[in-house]
Amino acid sequence: MTAIEPLRGFPSVTVQFCAPDRRYEPLQPINIRYQIDLPAGSTVRAIERSILWYTEGKGEEDLGIHIFERITEPTALTAATAAGGFTALLPRSPLSYEGLIVKIRWCVRVRLFFAGGRDFVSEHVFDLGRVPAALSRPIASSP
Amino acid sequence: MRLPRFFAKKRGDRRTGAEVWGSIGDGLFHAMLLLAGIAFAALLITGVAVPEWRTHHHFLEARGTVVGKGLARRAVPGQMISTWQPCIRLRYSTAVGLQEAWALLDSPVSDRLMAVAALESTTLGSEVACWHDPADPRVVILERGYNWWMWAMTLLLPGSLLAFGGAGVARTIATWGKSEERQAAAGFLDSNRGEEPTTAARPGVPPCDDLVNSPGTILAFQLPVESGESWTLLGFGLFALLWNAVLIVLAVNAGLDLLGGQIDWLLMGILVPFLVVGIAGIVIFIRSLILATAVGTTQVEISAHPLLPGGQYEVLLGQGGSGSFTSLEMVVELEEQATFRQGTDTRTERVVVWRAPLGSWQGLQLAPGTRFEGRAVFHVPAIAMHSFASEHNAVTWRVVIRGRPTRWPAFTRAFPVLIYPLPPPSGERLLNGGMP
């Protein structure tokens, strides 16, 4: 379970993964539950829930969406803003990877759009696959 | 009142900010370029296009009698420079009666004597064809036509501004207020909501088509070579060709001057370093060509493709050419590639993070018409990372051959292979995902 200490004026998002160690295998279902505590007086106009991978490291960030859902309908939005959950079947690739200059991370994101135009993203990383991390030092630089 | 943030901010797992505001600057920048393009295009249309179009469609043809000749002098304000443009005075009939006006005969030149010489071909009292403006009969011209070269040059700037600015504005509008997840999901993911991914789909894994379309002579597939040697050779060749083409043009001009009894010392001074670079370019190209062809071709074949973690694959190295080799080595490497921007440059960094030897051969003597063949087995680690490629990042596997010929410099040739992610144990999806 991931809980974020609330900051003054910011929402608090708690996410619960079905696998306690947040490690999943390819083609395995993932079940996410979340809970949001909004600061007093804030008005949410949309919420986006997604499962995605992105790259980190020396290169520009690349991003691939696996599951994306945007909720703007008032009734559904009210329910989804308090708490919710979603289930998905994870894909075969790309697997989580901890390289030297390329890293691949999988995460669940819950993004809230407020009436004033600002947004807030809560990101919760998990692992897909069991690829070990690369060596801490490169063997060689290619020509 | 809280002012909007122009850039997102990350605090641990939280990111805050307003991406709508962050894209305003980008949108304004491209809108300014677009407006500048529109302004330039408007100036071109009113200053070049419309006047040329009117001469073709509105001006009336007439026969004009040359009644005078002269030079139009244009002085550059603040400088002691003048240009001279030959003109003739024409008498021609219009709808409102006989009219007399000056018409420009030729382009302006800075040499007055040249302008005077241009007038000598026109004699007073002769008749010439001319066109006058019916809206203002005093405006008369001697030639009509479209200046295509000027059109191409003048359209380049507004065209570039319109294309670059327009594309930027369109992109800003298309992504306005949208999160990066929504942009990535645009178009295809909403329809996939709730559907299970097919077991055949491998997101992030590059396609294998180009690696299995060449059958091997002994094993199943022959791998394509990835070496940058060919591109380097092509680059050297193009440089030598273009540089020496410029050199020939300069040399011809200098030769014509010499034949005419003149020596342009400035041109001669430029020619000498140009000649040195030109000869060096040819020498480097020929040396690279000899090095690339003298060693002989390297071929790598593999028993199956794509590869899977935990699998064993036979690899065949075929080295052609003639002569002796001190050593020939075959290794497999895992390389990470990251492309990033540094200022205005785009750079790609490559790092080898894993390497395993497949085979090594010493003291080879190759005979012409035959090839050396070496076999090895590649045991793919069971926990190996699969091949991965996205727009700016990649994780690639390749078989690398390093040769040390006795008479030639050492060479390295790489042959990419593709490793797929391992399928789940049963071949189907795992089903242990319920909430605890």
Side-chain angles (χ1 to χ4, degrees), chain B residues 287-333:
Chain B
R287 183 177 178 274
S288 304
L289 187 65
I290 291 171
L291 287 178
T293 54
V295 173
T297 56
T298 306
Q299 292 175 331
V300 172
E301 297 180 12
I302 196 159
S303 57
H305 215 189
L307 318 184
L308 289 173
Q312 293 186 20
Y313 302 90
E314 198 175 351
V315 184
L316 174 79
L317 162 64
Q319 178 62 50
S322 59
S324 57
F325 280 72
T326 308
S327 67
L328 204 54
E329 182 189 20
M330 179 161 62
V331 299
V332 64
E333 290 180 350

mmCIF file of all heavy atoms in Angstrom, chain B residues 287-333:
data_model
loop_
_atom_site.group_PDB
_atom_site.id
_atom_site.type_symbol
_atom_site.label_atom_id
_atom_site.label_comp_id
_atom_site.label_asym_id
_atom_site.label_seq_id
_atom_site.Cartn_x
_atom_site.Cartn_y
_atom_site.Cartn_z
ATOM 1 N N ARG B 287 41.786 5.106 -49.135
ATOM 2 C CA ARG B 287 42.316 4.266 -48.056
ATOM 3 C C ARG B 287 41.187 3.509 -47.350
ATOM 4 O O ARG B 287 41.300 2.306 -47.089
ATOM 5 C CB ARG B 287 43.061 5.154 -47.046
ATOM 6 C CG ARG B 287 43.710 4.384 -45.926
ATOM 7 C CD ARG B 287 44.488 5.319 -45.000
ATOM 8 N NE ARG B 287 45.086 4.590 -43.900
ATOM 9 C CZ ARG B 287 44.473 4.309 -42.771
ATOM 10 N NH1 ARG B 287 43.229 4.712 -42.579
ATOM 11 N NH2 ARG B 287 45.084 3.632 -41.817
ATOM 12 N N SER B 288 40.073 4.222 -47.081
ATOM 13 C CA SER B 288 38.936 3.572 -46.425
ATOM 14 C C SER B 288 38.343 2.491 -47.316
ATOM 15 O O SER B 288 37.931 1.424 -46.832
ATOM 16 C CB SER B 288 37.856 4.604 -46.083
ATOM 17 O OG SER B 288 38.385 5.622 -45.297
ATOM 18 N N LEU B 289 38.292 2.780 -48.619
ATOM 19 C CA LEU B 289 37.740 1.805 -49.571
ATOM 20 C C LEU B 289 38.602 0.539 -49.591
ATOM 21 O O LEU B 289 38.088 -0.588 -49.577
ATOM 22 C CB LEU B 289 37.691 2.435 -50.971
ATOM 23 C CG LEU B 289 36.984 1.638 -52.064
ATOM 24 C CD1 LEU B 289 35.501 1.503 -51.756
ATOM 25 C CD2 LEU B 289 37.173 2.303 -53.418
ATOM 26 N N ILE B 290 39.922 0.730 -49.608
ATOM 27 C CA ILE B 290 40.832 -0.429 -49.613
ATOM 28 C C ILE B 290 40.688 -1.222 -48.321
ATOM 29 O O ILE B 290 40.583 -2.450 -48.337
ATOM 30 C CB ILE B 290 42.296 0.049 -49.807
ATOM 31 C CG1 ILE B 290 42.473 0.584 -51.228
ATOM 32 C CG2 ILE B 290 43.274 -1.090 -49.537
ATOM 33 C CD1 ILE B 290 43.794 1.280 -51.468
ATOM 34 N N LEU B 291 40.613 -0.503 -47.184
ATOM 35 C CA LEU B 291 40.485 -1.194 -45.896
ATOM 36 C C LEU B 291 39.183 -1.986 -45.823
ATOM 37 O O LEU B 291 39.136 -3.105 -45.301
ATOM 38 C CB LEU B 291 40.532 -0.180 -44.751
ATOM 39 C CG LEU B 291 41.893 0.427 -44.446
ATOM 40 C CD1 LEU B 291 41.775 1.444 -43.326
ATOM 41 C CD2 LEU B 291 42.885 -0.651 -44.061
ATOM 42 N N ALA B 292 38.109 -1.389 -46.382
ATOM 43 C CA ALA B 292 36.798 -2.050 -46.299
ATOM 44 C C ALA B 292 36.735 -3.278 -47.193
ATOM 45 O O ALA B 292 36.044 -4.248 -46.870
ATOM 46 C CB ALA B 292 35.702 -1.056 -46.683
ATOM 47 N N THR B 293 37.429 -3.238 -48.310
ATOM 48 C CA THR B 293 37.314 -4.346 -49.258
ATOM 49 C C THR B 293 38.443 -5.354 -49.121
ATOM 50 O O THR B 293 38.273 -6.521 -49.485
ATOM 51 C CB THR B 293 37.283 -3.793 -50.701
ATOM 52 O OG1 THR B 293 38.429 -2.950 -50.889
ATOM 53 C CG2 THR B 293 36.022 -3.002 -50.950
ATOM 54 N N ALA B 294 39.599 -4.929 -48.596
ATOM 55 C CA ALA B 294 40.752 -5.829 -48.571
ATOM 56 C C ALA B 294 40.577 -6.949 -47.558
ATOM 57 O O ALA B 294 41.028 -8.073 -47.776
ATOM 58 C CB ALA B 294 42.020 -5.041 -48.248
ATOM 59 N N VAL B 295 39.905 -6.645 -46.427
ATOM 60 C CA VAL B 295 39.790 -7.632 -45.356
ATOM 61 C C VAL B 295 38.837 -8.768 -45.741
ATOM 62 O O VAL B 295 39.002 -9.900 -45.332
ATOM 63 C CB VAL B 295 39.308 -6.945 -44.064
ATOM 64 C CG1 VAL B 295 39.023 -7.963 -42.988
ATOM 65 C CG2 VAL B 295 40.366 -5.963 -43.602
ATOM 66 N N GLY B 296 37.868 -8.482 -46.589
ATOM 67 C CA GLY B 296 36.894 -9.497 -46.962
ATOM 68 C C GLY B 296 35.625 -9.385 -46.144
ATOM 69 O O GLY B 296 35.608 -8.780 -45.068
ATOM 70 N N THR B 297 34.553 -9.956 -46.668
ATOM 71 C CA THR B 297 33.260 -9.826 -46.002
ATOM 72 C C THR B 297 33.166 -10.762 -44.803
ATOM 73 O O THR B 297 33.785 -11.825 -44.763
ATOM 74 C CB THR B 297 32.116 -10.152 -46.976
ATOM 75 O OG1 THR B 297 32.336 -11.463 -47.497
ATOM 76 C CG2 THR B 297 32.061 -9.153 -48.113
ATOM 77 N N THR B 298 32.378 -10.318 -43.832
ATOM 78 C CA THR B 298 32.109 -11.134 -42.646
ATOM 79 C C THR B 298 30.630 -11.489 -42.647
ATOM 80 O O THR B 298 29.785 -10.604 -42.841
ATOM 81 C CB THR B 298 32.452 -10.349 -41.364
ATOM 82 O OG1 THR B 298 33.799 -9.884 -41.460
ATOM 83 C CG2 THR B 298 32.305 -11.216 -40.137
ATOM 84 N N GLN B 299 30.336 -12.762 -42.476
ATOM 85 C CA GLN B 299 28.933 -13.201 -42.425
ATOM 86 C C GLN B 299 28.695 -13.945 -41.117
ATOM 87 O O GLN B 299 29.550 -14.695 -40.653
ATOM 88 C CB GLN B 299 28.613 -14.114 -43.605
ATOM 89 C CG GLN B 299 28.640 -13.370 -44.942
ATOM 90 C CD GLN B 299 28.453 -14.298 -46.128
ATOM 91 O OE1 GLN B 299 28.829 -15.467 -46.067
ATOM 92 N NE2 GLN B 299 27.887 -13.773 -47.193
ATOM 93 N N VAL B 300 27.507 -13.692 -40.550
ATOM 94 C CA VAL B 300 27.117 -14.391 -39.325
ATOM 95 C C VAL B 300 25.755 -15.031 -39.565
ATOM 96 O O VAL B 300 24.818 -14.364 -40.023
ATOM 97 C CB VAL B 300 27.064 -13.428 -38.115
ATOM 98 C CG1 VAL B 300 26.473 -14.139 -36.898
ATOM 99 C CG2 VAL B 300 28.451 -12.905 -37.784
ATOM 100 N N GLU B 301 25.656 -16.314 -39.284
ATOM 101 C CA GLU B 301 24.389 -17.033 -39.433
ATOM 102 C C GLU B 301 23.973 -17.578 -38.077
ATOM 103 O O GLU B 301 24.814 -17.833 -37.207
ATOM 104 C CB GLU B 301 24.543 -18.172 -40.446
ATOM 105 C CG GLU B 301 24.879 -17.662 -41.845
ATOM 106 C CD GLU B 301 25.042 -18.787 -42.855
ATOM 107 O OE1 GLU B 301 24.676 -19.933 -42.534
ATOM 108 O OE2 GLU B 301 25.534 -18.506 -43.967
ATOM 109 N N ILE B 302 22.656 -17.735 -37.900
ATOM 110 C CA ILE B 302 22.138 -18.201 -36.600
ATOM 111 C C ILE B 302 21.067 -19.263 -36.848
ATOM 112 O O ILE B 302 20.373 -19.228 -37.879
ATOM 113 C CB ILE B 302 21.615 -17.008 -35.770
ATOM 114 C CG1 ILE B 302 21.449 -17.392 -34.307
ATOM 115 C CG2 ILE B 302 20.315 -16.456 -36.345
ATOM 116 C CD1 ILE B 302 21.441 -16.212 -33.362
ATOM 117 N N SER B 303 20.931 -20.186 -35.907
ATOM 118 C CA SER B 303 20.056 -21.338 -36.136
ATOM 119 C C SER B 303 18.576 -21.008 -35.989
ATOM 120 O O SER B 303 17.722 -21.719 -36.527
ATOM 121 C CB SER B 303 20.425 -22.465 -35.168
ATOM 122 O OG SER B 303 20.344 -21.991 -33.833
ATOM 123 N N ALA B 304 18.219 -19.941 -35.273
ATOM 124 C CA ALA B 304 16.810 -19.549 -35.124
ATOM 125 C C ALA B 304 16.749 -18.065 -34.796
ATOM 126 O O ALA B 304 17.713 -17.498 -34.287
ATOM 127 C CB ALA B 304 16.142 -20.359 -34.015
ATOM 128 N N HIS B 305 15.612 -17.478 -35.087
ATOM 129 C CA HIS B 305 15.441 -16.060 -34.818
ATOM 130 C C HIS B 305 13.949 -15.750 -34.800
ATOM 131 O O HIS B 305 13.237 -16.251 -35.666
ATOM 132 C CB HIS B 305 16.121 -15.223 -35.915
ATOM 133 C CG HIS B 305 16.721 -13.963 -35.416
ATOM 134 N ND1 HIS B 305 17.205 -12.997 -36.246
ATOM 135 C CD2 HIS B 305 16.895 -13.477 -34.166
ATOM 136 C CE1 HIS B 305 17.680 -11.996 -35.533
ATOM 137 N NE2 HIS B 305 17.500 -12.266 -34.272
ATOM 138 N N PRO B 306 13.442 -14.941 -33.869
ATOM 139 C CA PRO B 306 14.108 -14.285 -32.743
ATOM 140 C C PRO B 306 14.505 -15.294 -31.653
ATOM 141 O O PRO B 306 14.024 -16.420 -31.627
ATOM 142 C CB PRO B 306 13.060 -13.317 -32.237
ATOM 143 C CG PRO B 306 11.767 -13.948 -32.604
ATOM 144 C CD PRO B 306 11.999 -14.655 -33.896
ATOM 145 N N LEU B 307 15.363 -14.833 -30.734
ATOM 146 C CA LEU B 307 15.854 -15.673 -29.655
ATOM 147 C C LEU B 307 14.958 -15.499 -28.419
ATOM 148 O O LEU B 307 14.241 -14.508 -28.294
ATOM 149 C CB LEU B 307 17.294 -15.292 -29.306
ATOM 150 C CG LEU B 307 18.246 -15.000 -30.466
ATOM 151 C CD1 LEU B 307 19.648 -14.741 -29.933
ATOM 152 C CD2 LEU B 307 18.272 -16.139 -31.458
ATOM 153 N N LEU B 308 15.028 -16.486 -27.535
ATOM 154 C CA LEU B 308 14.260 -16.417 -26.284
ATOM 155 C C LEU B 308 15.202 -16.601 -25.101
ATOM 156 O O LEU B 308 16.179 -17.367 -25.200
ATOM 157 C CB LEU B 308 13.189 -17.505 -26.254
ATOM 158 C CG LEU B 308 11.999 -17.305 -27.210
ATOM 159 C CD1 LEU B 308 11.110 -18.533 -27.200
ATOM 160 C CD2 LEU B 308 11.196 -16.064 -26.827
ATOM 161 N N PRO B 309 14.926 -15.938 -23.973
ATOM 162 C CA PRO B 309 15.763 -16.142 -22.782
ATOM 163 C C PRO B 309 15.791 -17.621 -22.396
ATOM 164 O O PRO B 309 14.777 -18.304 -22.446
ATOM 165 C CB PRO B 309 15.058 -15.303 -21.708
ATOM 166 C CG PRO B 309 14.325 -14.253 -22.480
ATOM 167 C CD PRO B 309 13.885 -14.904 -23.752
ATOM 168 N N GLY B 310 16.974 -18.113 -22.043
ATOM 169 C CA GLY B 310 17.125 -19.513 -21.658
ATOM 170 C C GLY B 310 17.412 -20.436 -22.831
ATOM 171 O O GLY B 310 17.736 -21.603 -22.631
ATOM 172 N N GLY B 311 17.303 -19.932 -24.060
ATOM 173 C CA GLY B 311 17.495 -20.776 -25.239
ATOM 174 C C GLY B 311 18.965 -20.929 -25.612
ATOM 175 O O GLY B 311 19.826 -20.167 -25.157
ATOM 176 N N GLN B 312 19.249 -21.947 -26.438
ATOM 177 C CA GLN B 312 20.602 -22.168 -26.949
ATOM 178 C C GLN B 312 20.539 -22.104 -28.470
ATOM 179 O O GLN B 312 19.695 -22.758 -29.081
ATOM 180 C CB GLN B 312 21.133 -23.531 -26.505
ATOM 181 C CG GLN B 312 21.365 -23.631 -25.018
ATOM 182 C CD GLN B 312 22.028 -24.962 -24.653
ATOM 183 O OE1 GLN B 312 22.616 -25.621 -25.491
ATOM 184 N NE2 GLN B 312 21.927 -25.320 -23.391
ATOM 185 N N TYR B 313 21.450 -21.348 -29.056
ATOM 186 C CA TYR B 313 21.395 -21.116 -30.501
ATOM 187 C C TYR B 313 22.786 -21.274 -31.088
ATOM 188 O O TYR B 313 23.777 -20.783 -30.532
ATOM 189 C CB TYR B 313 20.855 -19.709 -30.786
ATOM 190 C CG TYR B 313 19.490 -19.497 -30.187
ATOM 191 C CD1 TYR B 313 19.347 -19.000 -28.896
ATOM 192 C CD2 TYR B 313 18.347 -19.845 -30.894
ATOM 193 C CE1 TYR B 313 18.100 -18.841 -28.321
ATOM 194 C CE2 TYR B 313 17.086 -19.682 -30.329
ATOM 195 C CZ TYR B 313 16.970 -19.175 -29.044
ATOM 196 O OH TYR B 313 15.727 -19.024 -28.488
ATOM 197 N N GLU B 314 22.840 -21.969 -32.207
ATOM 198 C CA GLU B 314 24.109 -22.160 -32.874
ATOM 199 C C GLU B 314 24.404 -20.917 -33.722
ATOM 200 O O GLU B 314 23.505 -20.395 -34.408
ATOM 201 C CB GLU B 314 24.041 -23.404 -33.760
ATOM 202 C CG GLU B 314 25.401 -23.919 -34.157
ATOM 203 C CD GLU B 314 25.305 -25.213 -34.940
ATOM 204 O OE1 GLU B 314 24.211 -25.798 -35.038
ATOM 205 O OE2 GLU B 314 26.360 -25.626 -35.467
ATOM 206 N N VAL B 315 25.635 -20.462 -33.675
ATOM 207 C CA VAL B 315 26.045 -19.272 -34.421
ATOM 208 C C VAL B 315 27.236 -19.645 -35.297
ATOM 209 O O VAL B 315 28.174 -20.316 -34.837
ATOM 210 C CB VAL B 315 26.438 -18.112 -33.476
ATOM 211 C CG1 VAL B 315 26.755 -16.851 -34.268
ATOM 212 C CG2 VAL B 315 25.332 -17.836 -32.473
ATOM 213 N N LEU B 316 27.183 -19.240 -36.558
ATOM 214 C CA LEU B 316 28.254 -19.544 -37.498
ATOM 215 C C LEU B 316 28.908 -18.247 -37.972
ATOM 216 O O LEU B 316 28.212 -17.324 -38.408
ATOM 217 C CB LEU B 316 27.689 -20.289 -38.713
ATOM 218 C CG LEU B 316 28.689 -20.537 -39.841
ATOM 219 C CD1 LEU B 316 29.597 -21.705 -39.519
ATOM 220 C CD2 LEU B 316 27.980 -20.770 -41.161
ATOM 221 N N LEU B 317 30.216 -18.175 -37.850
ATOM 222 C CA LEU B 317 30.965 -17.020 -38.361
ATOM 223 C C LEU B 317 31.648 -17.426 -39.668
ATOM 224 O O LEU B 317 32.361 -18.438 -39.712
ATOM 225 C CB LEU B 317 32.008 -16.581 -37.329
ATOM 226 C CG LEU B 317 33.147 -15.691 -37.853
ATOM 227 C CD1 LEU B 317 32.610 -14.355 -38.344
ATOM 228 C CD2 LEU B 317 34.190 -15.460 -36.766
ATOM 229 N N GLY B 318 31.408 -16.645 -40.716
ATOM 230 C CA GLY B 318 32.079 -16.875 -41.994
ATOM 231 C C GLY B 318 32.898 -15.651 -42.357
ATOM 232 O O GLY B 318 32.358 -14.547 -42.493
ATOM 233 N N GLN B 319 34.219 -15.827 -42.492
ATOM 234 C CA GLN B 319 35.093 -14.697 -42.820
ATOM 235 C C GLN B 319 35.746 -14.952 -44.176
ATOM 236 O O GLN B 319 36.459 -15.936 -44.352
ATOM 237 C CB GLN B 319 36.161 -14.517 -41.733
ATOM 238 C CG GLN B 319 37.157 -13.398 -42.012
ATOM 239 C CD GLN B 319 36.483 -12.029 -42.100
ATOM 240 O OE1 GLN B 319 35.717 -11.668 -41.232
ATOM 241 N NE2 GLN B 319 36.758 -11.296 -43.171
ATOM 242 N N GLY B 320 35.455 -14.057 -45.134
ATOM 243 C CA GLY B 320 36.033 -14.195 -46.468
ATOM 244 C C GLY B 320 37.311 -13.395 -46.600
ATOM 245 O O GLY B 320 37.819 -12.821 -45.637
ATOM 246 N N GLY B 321 37.839 -13.328 -47.826
ATOM 247 C CA GLY B 321 39.049 -12.568 -48.093
ATOM 248 C C GLY B 321 40.262 -13.467 -48.169
ATOM 249 O O GLY B 321 40.155 -14.704 -48.243
ATOM 250 N N SER B 322 41.413 -12.841 -48.161
ATOM 251 C CA SER B 322 42.653 -13.616 -48.216
ATOM 252 C C SER B 322 43.650 -12.989 -47.247
ATOM 253 O O SER B 322 43.427 -11.883 -46.746
ATOM 254 C CB SER B 322 43.217 -13.607 -49.634
ATOM 255 O OG SER B 322 43.470 -12.282 -50.036
ATOM 256 N N GLY B 323 44.730 -13.700 -46.975
ATOM 257 C CA GLY B 323 45.737 -13.203 -46.038
ATOM 258 C C GLY B 323 45.584 -13.849 -44.684
ATOM 259 O O GLY B 323 44.758 -14.737 -44.473
ATOM 260 N N SER B 324 46.371 -13.374 -43.742
ATOM 261 C CA SER B 324 46.384 -14.005 -42.419
ATOM 262 C C SER B 324 45.770 -13.078 -41.373
ATOM 263 O O SER B 324 45.802 -11.851 -41.511
ATOM 264 C CB SER B 324 47.820 -14.362 -42.028
ATOM 265 O OG SER B 324 48.616 -13.195 -42.060
ATOM 266 N N PHE B 325 45.225 -13.720 -40.358
ATOM 267 C CA PHE B 325 44.636 -13.001 -39.235
ATOM 268 C C PHE B 325 45.385 -13.389 -37.961
ATOM 269 O O PHE B 325 45.577 -14.575 -37.698
ATOM 270 C CB PHE B 325 43.162 -13.379 -39.061
ATOM 271 C CG PHE B 325 42.233 -12.673 -40.004
ATOM 272 C CD1 PHE B 325 42.207 -13.005 -41.349
ATOM 273 C CD2 PHE B 325 41.387 -11.679 -39.543
ATOM 274 C CE1 PHE B 325 41.346 -12.355 -42.219
ATOM 275 C CE2 PHE B 325 40.536 -11.029 -40.401
ATOM 276 C CZ PHE B 325 40.505 -11.365 -41.747
ATOM 277 N N THR B 326 45.759 -12.393 -37.185
ATOM 278 C CA THR B 326 46.337 -12.679 -35.874
ATOM 279 C C THR B 326 45.279 -13.298 -34.973
ATOM 280 O O THR B 326 45.527 -14.270 -34.257
ATOM 281 C CB THR B 326 46.873 -11.378 -35.230
ATOM 282 O OG1 THR B 326 47.721 -10.745 -36.169
ATOM 283 C CG2 THR B 326 47.630 -11.664 -33.950
ATOM 284 N N SER B 327 44.062 -12.735 -35.005
ATOM 285 C CA SER B 327 42.966 -13.297 -34.192
ATOM 286 C C SER B 327 41.626 -12.889 -34.792
ATOM 287 O O SER B 327 41.514 -11.872 -35.499
ATOM 288 C CB SER B 327 43.064 -12.810 -32.742
ATOM 289 O OG SER B 327 42.813 -11.417 -32.689
ATOM 290 N N LEU B 328 40.656 -13.704 -34.503
ATOM 291 C CA LEU B 328 39.269 -13.425 -34.894
ATOM 292 C C LEU B 328 38.407 -13.788 -33.684
ATOM 293 O O LEU B 328 38.498 -14.908 -33.167
ATOM 294 C CB LEU B 328 38.900 -14.284 -36.112
ATOM 295 C CG LEU B 328 37.777 -13.795 -37.016
ATOM 296 C CD1 LEU B 328 38.011 -12.385 -37.515
ATOM 297 C CD2 LEU B 328 37.625 -14.746 -38.207
ATOM 298 N N GLU B 329 37.621 -12.848 -33.221
ATOM 299 C CA GLU B 329 36.885 -13.044 -31.972
ATOM 300 C C GLU B 329 35.402 -12.777 -32.194
ATOM 301 O O GLU B 329 35.033 -11.831 -32.904
ATOM 302 C CB GLU B 329 37.444 -12.067 -30.913
ATOM 303 C CG GLU B 329 36.810 -12.186 -29.548
ATOM 304 C CD GLU B 329 37.255 -11.056 -28.626
ATOM 305 O OE1 GLU B 329 37.716 -10.013 -29.136
ATOM 306 O OE2 GLU B 329 37.128 -11.203 -27.406
ATOM 307 N N MET B 330 34.552 -13.623 -31.620
ATOM 308 C CA MET B 330 33.102 -13.438 -31.723
ATOM 309 C C MET B 330 32.530 -13.329 -30.311
ATOM 310 O O MET B 330 32.725 -14.233 -29.490
ATOM 311 C CB MET B 330 32.469 -14.605 -32.477
ATOM 312 C CG MET B 330 30.961 -14.498 -32.615
ATOM 313 S SD MET B 330 30.264 -15.534 -33.947
ATOM 314 C CE MET B 330 30.697 -17.174 -33.389
ATOM 315 N N VAL B 331 31.846 -12.208 -30.029
ATOM 316 C CA VAL B 331 31.242 -12.004 -28.709
ATOM 317 C C VAL B 331 29.787 -11.583 -28.895
ATOM 318 O O VAL B 331 29.387 -11.166 -29.983
ATOM 319 C CB VAL B 331 31.984 -10.907 -27.892
ATOM 320 C CG1 VAL B 331 33.423 -11.273 -27.652
ATOM 321 C CG2 VAL B 331 31.869 -9.557 -28.583
ATOM 322 N N VAL B 332 29.020 -11.707 -27.834
ATOM 323 C CA VAL B 332 27.655 -11.187 -27.859
ATOM 324 C C VAL B 332 27.573 -10.081 -26.812
ATOM 325 O O VAL B 332 28.162 -10.186 -25.732
ATOM 326 C CB VAL B 332 26.615 -12.311 -27.615
ATOM 327 C CG1 VAL B 332 26.759 -12.920 -26.231
ATOM 328 C CG2 VAL B 332 25.205 -11.808 -27.822
ATOM 329 N N GLU B 333 26.897 -8.996 -27.174
ATOM 330 C CA GLU B 333 26.850 -7.811 -26.305
ATOM 331 C C GLU B 333 25.418 -7.340 -26.107
ATOM 332 O O GLU B 333 24.572 -7.462 -27.001
ATOM 333 C CB GLU B 333 27.651 -6.662 -26.929
ATOM 334 C CG GLU B 333 29.145 -6.877 -26.937
ATOM 335 C CD GLU B 333 29.895 -5.711 -27.569
ATOM 336 O OE1 GLU B 333 29.246 -4.826 -28.164
ATOM 337 O OE2 GLU B 333 31.131 -5.697 -27.470
#
